[in-house]
Amino acid sequence: MSSYHYEPNLKYADTHEWARQEDSQVVVGISDAAQDMMSDIVFVELPDVGLAVSAGEAVAVVESVKAAEDIYAPVSGSVSAVNEELNDTPELVNTDPYGAWFLKIEVEDGAELEKLMDADAYSAFVDSQQ
């Protein structure tokens, strides 16, 4: 059993992003497990607002002291907002992975969100990867 924290109200992708529906938008960040695996995050590259994205497509980059990792869109749509705060304080992702969101996507197909894992399934997935 892992020691990571999982938010029960979120959906999770197998690429370690979390997604939370807010009306017609999906808020996207990375999981506690992902930020822990990356260690100290030092830079976040966010997409442009208005960018059209497809589920599974790389939309942002996170750089840590270990490596640079792509962040993938868990759903298709267009980027409606980005968290500008991460430009100046990327370490927020380490201290509050479920509060430090990366971007919001105006969703094209709400059914895509249902294909993602719930917290229990994601926890089992993370445990199986270790």
Side-chain angles (χ1 to χ4, degrees):
M1 182 74 184
S2 70
S3 60
Y4 299 122
H5 174 72
Y6 304 100
E7 289 287 325
N9 61 325
L10 301 177
K11 294 288 199 167
Y12 297 87
D14 62 5
T15 48
H16 303 290
E17 291 80 18
W18 57 259
R20 179 179 67 235
Q21 181 127 27
E22 288 182 356
D23 299 318
S24 64
Q25 298 185 101
V26 169
V27 183
V28 179
I30 62 171
S31 72
D32 184 35
Q35 71 78 24
D36 184 67
M37 287 182 249
M38 284 189 242
S39 75
D40 296 331
I41 293 172
V42 296
F43 178 75
V44 175
E45 182 182 327
L46 298 167
D48 293 330
V49 171
L51 178 71
V53 297
S54 298
E57 177 182 353
V59 292
V61 177
V62 175
E63 291 183 19
S64 71
V65 293
K66 288 183 175 180
E69 297 286 339
D70 287 332
I71 304 301
Y72 298 92
V75 295
S76 300
S78 62
V79 176
S80 56
V82 295
N83 187 350
E84 299 283 354
E85 191 177 13
L86 296 181
N87 289 331
D88 297 324
T89 51
E91 63 275 9
L92 288 174
V93 177
N94 290 121
T95 57
D96 186 12
Y98 298 112
W101 57 278
F102 284 69
L103 61 140
K104 295 181 181 182
I105 298 173
E106 187 71 30
V107 180
E108 287 176 0
D109 180 3
E112 284 181 338
L113 194 62
E114 297 309 310
K115 295 176 184 171
L116 300 174
M117 292 178 265
D118 65 14
D120 290 339
Y122 179 68
S123 175
F125 170 77
V126 170
D127 289 347
S128 75
Q129 302 297 300
Q130 296 181 356

